[in-house]
Amino acid sequence: MKYLFPRQPWDRALVAILVALFTGFCILTPGFYDGFHGTLAITEEFLPFGFVALGLSVVILTGGIDLSVGSISGLAAVIMAILIKSYGLNTWLAVLLAVGAGGGLGWLNGQIITRLRVEPLIATLSTNFIYSSIAIALAGASPPYGFGHAFGELGTGAIAGWLPVQLVIFIVMAIGFSGLITRTGYGRRLVMIGYNRDAAHYAGVSVASVERRAYCISGVMAAFAGIVLASYYDAVRADMGDILLLTSITMVVLGGISIFGGEGGILGVTLAVMILGVLRQGMLIAGFSDMVTTMLIGAILLSSIAIKNLFSSRGFDLGSIIRRLSSLRPPERMASKS
Amino acid sequence: MSRTPGLLAATGIDKRFGANSVLRNVSLSLAPGEVHTLMGENGAGKSTLFRILAGIHQPDAGQINLDGAALDLRNPSAAYGHGIYLVPQEPALLKELSVAENMFLGMLPTRGWFPSRIDWKTIRGQAQDSLSALGLDVDVRDDAKHLSIAQQQLVECAKALLRGCRIILFDEPTSPLTGREVGILFAIMRRLRAQGCTLGFISHRMDEVSEISDRVSVLRDGAVTDEVDRGGFDRARLVRAMVGREVIFDRRRVRREAEGEPVLSVRGLAHAPVFSGVDFDVRPGEILGFSGLIGSGRTEIAEAVCGLREKSAGSVTLAGQDISTSSIGDIIEAGLVYVPEDRARHGVILPMSIRDNATAGQIGRLQGKSGILNRGREIAIATDTMRRYQVRARGIDQPVGQLSGGNQQKVVFGKWMSTNPKVAILDEPTRGVDVGAKDEIYRLIEELSAQGMAIVVISSELEELIVLCDRVIAIYGGKIAAELKGADVTAARVGAAFLGAEAH
């Protein structure tokens, strides 16, 4: 039983925030709480962000970043739509090919970063523009729509009428990613690189190949998110993925994965996915505009990085917050090293 | 400038980092115009004590007085204000700035009132003057990254003097220096002492300590165990105070020459202009010494052999297998490991646990076809490493960053030795390690070689090469300058090889 409750202080704080946020919306926002089934159904609105966040986690653990996730998901969805509509391919085969294409685009990111030695930030910023332009060009003027009932089940279906398909897939994937990071050789190498790239290299880790695979994974997950969005709306737009990036990065960072790499885990990311999802939906139902929500999420991203930096050496508890706020001296960074 | 500083006295200092008590009721006084040396094993608390005196750390209890007046050293600039300056273990110059900019960092003089301009003329003049006063001949407009570590230390000295500091603390300055550079540093320390400066000094090397010190304080486990004045220095007494037991390390055993086929053969290894024409063999059970100055190319050669660095020509054969173009992972798998010199940067991953670090060299072997790590074997390897190398820690899940330097070094050792290599290249295996741990590491190396492992020891310490090695290769300017064997490996001969190399 004790393994069910998070042991990391950061994760515990996230649980508290999630509970507080959910309760708050239930009480203050009429129409937010719509029974147990209704609550589960809300997850369909935000889990595409979660799929992207899982893949991004892997990249951020290496100390990198992938800004092209939004355009990859848009492009993948467009590719899928074209394969179905123009070439008459079987829907699920088209889905498979589109997800594969996402992997390929991520792999290309990895090649640019590791072989051409371009900073991940710049590399994926550039490919983001390239991929999204290709998506717009391919999609043409009229967005494809109508992919059939079976395909729609992916985004909106529910098992036994109440358990959303998306949620099941997300939970399975989250467990899989958690296992990948904590239990496999690949995950160990990933974390080593994130903490200390040089030491990983000296220990015989092929740093470039681990990184390339990380960007590939991120591409696959972004593409999958795009497919789920296509299924949810039963339509495809080239710029569909643009909203994914900010929220997904925030989910990863709020989830406790250090933007500098190495530190953090999937449990925290999963909690952060739920927190930001509830926040987005709650704000929407409460009648706030998307702009306000986006602004708030930007602020959360900024403050979660700042909080992490301030408290990383001291642990995260109320006492240290009070001590920190009451003394205005800069953090004694070296103290823990000697 | 030549006012004499007062008596700096720390009394009853306590300091803890988290659960670790580093200093317990330590008192130390630095009398005006003396060279006061701190000795002690790694983790004894020497650096922490100096850092407290320099305002970098704050003590949990105790006070610091200068000439009887209590000081509040809340940060390094407060310490500068009282004339105290710490020359850190790794000089902290900003590489991309010029020497002069580094020296005046935080106190750049300006000219005019608005817009005030930086007075470069004064800066360059004063910087050049203070460096010449120390006998250092470098252009102050040059980037700091072009300076050797020895020169950087002298720039730190000059920084101290520029800030009017007359109490200068040196945290283990000599460990990265060659013999000649140590001589230069000591000459400068003597001159500063003659001018009335108070100098604090940390070193592990007995001969250096007796050469330069006026007074020695020995720390063990965060407490002062002995204090000796000049004239009373006795090697056995100091070592006993440091380690708490007798240590013997003056021995040189001549073993018979290793026979059999070389397990590692290097031919024509080159990467101009760093090194060229490097040929050598190592046989099973042999300990080969690589001597040479820092910058001679010895580390670069070793890294090129192990696939960590580019080479433009040459072949490397390990047990009959050509590994010249293999990846590092494959080279480790084939049985050749390089134990790096810079522990924190290349050796361990500080935030990760002992378990993760001890197994980091063999992840490939721990994962089955599924890619899932074998947790049982991980634990076995980590537990075995802790036991065999007597790592002092709470358990295998403690982060390595929480261990003392000596214990970290043991984890580094265990990490590579648990891969069961045929050949191990150890780069400065005892750098910054205290006398007791040094002896343990020597014993370990001999044990491994007795089991048939071929070992290459890279070292700039004569004593280490003589005590340990069957054969010594001297490297100068990226080339093999001399080779000594068996009974020829004496202080005189190795020293001569050094000098011969230097005369090239």
Side-chain angles (χ1 to χ4, degrees), chain A residues 179 182-189 191-193 195-206 329 332 334-338, chain B residues 17 51 56-58 74 303 308 328-329 332 338 344-346 348-349 351-352 356 359-360 363-364 367 371-373 375 378 416:
Chain A
T182 58
R183 297 271 197 272
T184 68
Y186 177 73
R188 182 66 55 79
R189 294 187 180 100
V191 175
M192 284 172 69
I193 290 172
Y195 274 128
N196 187 336
R197 182 171 299 262
D198 285 340
H201 176 66
Y202 275 73
V205 173
S206 164
R329 285 178 36 217
E332 201 175 333
M334 299 304 291
S336 57
K337 281 193 179 171
S338 52
Chain B
F17 291 123
R51 285 174 173 202
I56 296 169
H57 295 325
Q58 275 61 51
R74 46 173 46 241
E303 290 190 345
L308 287 157
I328 319 141
I332 293 174
Y338 169 73
R345 273 178 58 204
H346 305 140
V348 284
I349 299 174
M352 292 181 88
D356 293 347
T359 56
I363 299 172
Q367 60 179 53
I372 294 170
L373 292 168
R375 193 160 275 211
E378 270 190 78
W416 270 288

Side-chain angles (χ1 to χ4, degrees), chain B residues 140-371:
Chain B
V140 295
R141 286 167 300 185
D142 206 4
D143 283 353
K145 66 183 169 196
H146 296 138
L147 300 184
S148 70
I149 292 191
Q151 289 171 327
Q152 293 183 33
Q153 284 177 349
L154 297 185
V155 170
E156 288 276 4
C157 270
K159 267 176 86 172
L161 296 175
L162 270 175
R163 283 162 175 72
C165 293
R166 309 283 290 158
I167 301 174
I168 305 175
L169 309 172
F170 293 88
D171 187 354
E172 229 188 308
T174 58
S175 60
L177 303 187
T178 60
R180 209 170 60 173
E181 291 168 336
V182 170
I184 294 170
L185 178 70
F186 280 7
I188 286 166
M189 286 173 68
R190 287 200 189 88
R191 199 182 317 156
L192 290 172
R193 173 173 60 186
Q195 290 166 8
C197 288
T198 305
L199 304 177
F201 180 60
I202 292 177
S203 173
H204 291 304
R205 298 181 188 168
M206 203 59 77
D207 45 341
E208 289 175 4
V209 171
S210 38
E211 185 185 338
I212 194 80
S213 318
D214 296 309
R215 190 173 173 77
V216 175
S217 297
V218 183
L219 280 174
R220 186 170 80 228
D221 291 333
V224 176
T225 50
D226 204 355
E227 274 202 53
V228 195
D229 278 321
R230 186 166 193 85
F233 298 155
D234 171 31
R235 194 187 183 95
R237 175 180 170 181
L238 291 174
V239 170
R240 209 180 315 119
M242 240 188 306
V243 189
R245 62 185 160 86
E246 301 283 343
V247 176
I248 314 140
F249 60 107
D250 294 326
R251 62 210 150 88
R252 156 89 192 153
R253 72 237 149 7
V254 178
R255 305 191 300 184
R256 62 193 170 75
E257 232 172 279
E259 286 160 9
E261 285 297 299
V263 59
L264 177 70
S265 290
V266 175
R267 290 287 174 274
L269 194 72
H271 191 70
V274 188
F275 53 87
S276 61
V278 176
D279 300 330
F280 68 91
D281 289 321
V282 200
R283 294 180 169 73
E286 185 181 31
I287 305 178
L288 171 67
F290 255 46
S291 75
L293 308 170
I294 286 174
S296 63
R298 42 180 214 173
T299 294
E300 289 78 2
I301 292 171
E303 290 190 345
V305 167
C306 297
L308 287 157
R309 181 183 283 271
E310 259 186 295
K311 51 184 172 287
S312 44
S315 72
V316 182
T317 317
L318 179 70
Q321 185 189 351
D322 181 34
I323 54 164
S324 316
T325 54
S326 305
S327 73
I328 319 141
D330 290 342
I331 288 175
I332 293 174
E333 210 46 42
L336 169 62
V337 297
Y338 169 73
V339 181
E341 176 185 6
D342 193 331
R343 191 171 56 225
R345 273 178 58 204
H346 305 140
V348 284
I349 299 174
L350 294 173
M352 292 181 88
S353 66
I354 294 176
R355 176 163 65 105
D356 293 347
N357 273 290
T359 56
Q362 46 183 318
I363 299 172
R365 288 184 213 167
L366 291 169
Q367 60 179 53
K369 278 214 164 62
S370 59

Side-chain angles (χ1 to χ4, degrees), chain A residues 214-239:
Chain A
Y215 287 95
C216 195
I217 291 172
S218 174
V220 165
M221 292 306 288
F224 183 71
I227 306 292
V228 173
L229 283 177
S231 162
Y232 183 81
Y233 293 119
D234 199 22
V236 164
R237 280 177 52 125
D239 61 355

Side-chain angles (χ1 to χ4, degrees), chain A residues 138-338:
Chain A
L138 284 180
S142 58
Y145 65 92
F147 303 106
H149 177 71
F151 178 66
E153 288 292 302
L154 180 63
T156 57
I159 296 166
W162 59 274
L163 185 60
V165 174
Q166 276 199 48
L167 186 61
V168 174
I169 296 177
F170 179 77
I171 289 171
V172 169
M173 279 185 169
I175 293 171
F177 271 84
S178 182
L180 176 78
I181 289 161
T182 58
R183 297 271 197 272
T184 68
Y186 177 73
R188 182 66 55 79
R189 294 187 180 100
L190 209 63
V191 175
M192 284 172 69
I193 290 172
Y195 274 128
N196 187 336
R197 182 171 299 262
D198 285 340
H201 176 66
Y202 275 73
V205 173
S206 164
V207 176
S209 119
V210 171
E211 284 184 317
R212 278 196 288 276
R213 277 187 273 171
Y215 287 95
C216 195
I217 291 172
S218 174
V220 165
M221 292 306 288
F224 183 71
I227 306 292
V228 173
L229 283 177
S231 162
Y232 183 81
Y233 293 119
D234 199 22
V236 164
R237 280 177 52 125
D239 61 355
M240 210 165 55
D242 289 0
I243 49 161
L244 292 171
L245 179 68
L246 171 70
T247 309
S248 306
I249 290 183
T250 310
M251 284 168 173
V252 175
V253 174
L254 177 66
I257 291 188
S258 164
I259 200 83
F260 306 111
E263 192 184 329
I266 291 298
L267 177 61
V269 175
T270 308
L271 289 167
V273 167
M274 299 301 161
I275 289 174
L276 288 176
V278 166
L279 185 72
R280 276 188 77 95
Q281 276 326 106
M283 300 269 291
L284 197 71
I285 292 167
F288 289 100
S289 80
D290 215 32
M291 264 174 296
V292 179
T293 314
T294 305
M295 202 163 73
L296 190 63
I297 290 175
I300 292 174
L301 174 60
L302 204 58
S303 46
S304 43
I305 294 179
I307 290 173
K308 196 98 195 170
N309 286 349
L310 287 175
F311 297 104
S312 59
S313 60
R314 291 285 179 89
F316 184 75
D317 59 77
L318 197 64
S320 68
I321 294 175
I322 292 166
R323 271 199 302 281
R324 180 56 52 106
L325 295 180
S326 61
S327 79
L328 289 171
R329 285 178 36 217
E332 201 175 333
R333 278 177 190 282
M334 299 304 291
S336 57
K337 281 193 179 171
S338 52

Side-chain angles (χ1 to χ4, degrees), chain B residues 11 16 53 84 86 90 100 123 125 186 204 211 382 402 432 449 491:
Chain B
T11 32
R16 37 176 62 246
L53 291 176
I84 306 166
L86 174 70
E90 309 287 340
I123 291 174
F186 280 7
H204 291 304
E211 185 185 338
Q402 292 178 3
S449 112

